Amino acid sequence: MSSQAITFHEIRTPAAARVAAAQVWPEEKVLELFNLPFSDLLFRAQQIHRQHFDPQEVELATLLSIKTGGCPEDCGYCPQAARYDTGVTAQKLLELETVLEAARAAKAHGATRFCMGAAWRGPKDRDLDHVEAMVRGVKELGLEACATLGMLEDGQAERLAAAGLDYYNHNLDTAPEFYNDIITTRNYENRLDTLDKVRNAGIKVCCGGIVGMGESRRQRAGLIAQVANLDPYPESVPINHLVQVEGTPLHGLDPLDPLEFVRTIAVARITMPKARVRLSAGRREMGEAVQAMCFQAGANSIFYGDKLLTTGNPDANADMALLNKLGMKIKHTQVDAKLAVTE
């Protein structure tokens, strides 16, 4: 696809989640950040990070697959696509008590946000009956509730909002001109449509992407520009490092240079200064030193637990050991903070 296909300012509907007409971060400006000397980039990111956050605080979020495998989409990175032989067995939607048991365990280990992911192209209305009950149960535990369920139809975001959902995750994945190299069963406009619905329903947006899928640095800049130019930009920005799974089309790619991943975190922090920038998939492969640099670059949230949907994640003890080494502290829920004050 030619570079002319990239249009940051095209607004087909007036909804707030469209890319802003007045570009705050044109792609060229984002690319200039990527091209800064490494130490200068991290210094700038750290300065901005300290203006808006406690630099020693990290938010813990736990992600549970509430419906695994059997997805009809063809995302080249995803082991849950039905068309790929990856060893993932399709499973039905989990029972409510199973989900709440996992949420209780997540909170006991320090998580403040509980995210529920389902391998759907989009949920059917009957599916939402069950998801709404899960959201209400998670909220009753004093946790923030997040869901990633695929593309939403009219009225579905409003149902989730009424149940108390705090965040909806819907990643843009990569730059517009690279998108069709990764996914052909949906398009960029589909992603923006769902983000519109989420914003219009009053739900906070969790939106980021995946790096290490064979994209260029310019295309990484294009991804960050797309996310940063959403109006408003997302409250939560997960940056995933591709976890290569045998059986998926992207298995066997040359791995991304770890310092390039750190650069991506820093650029996300600079362009979206008030967002929670989350280290997501791929942390287990990074090692402690790279993760430490990511925190230095402005990351202040991690997915916490032994699994992210179907791929491995550092275990809780390893995460706590690393945070202790770095002198970092865990962000507490508002409920926990109130209890600490009264005690």
Side-chain angles (χ1 to χ4, degrees), residues 288-301:
E288 290 188 343
V290 175
Q291 289 185 68
M293 282 191 286
C294 287
F295 291 128
Q296 187 72 16
N300 61 349
S301 179

Side-chain angles (χ1 to χ4, degrees), residues 160-193:
L160 292 168
L165 189 70
D166 296 293
Y167 288 84
Y168 194 83
N169 168 257
H170 203 60
N171 291 332
L172 291 180
D173 293 328
T174 190
E177 76 274 18
F178 192 56
Y179 196 80
N180 286 348
D181 290 359
I182 305 300
I183 303 158
T184 66
T185 51
R186 61 173 186 253
N187 57 47
Y188 229 73
E189 193 67 21
N190 295 146
R191 311 306 280 176
L192 294 174
D193 284 344

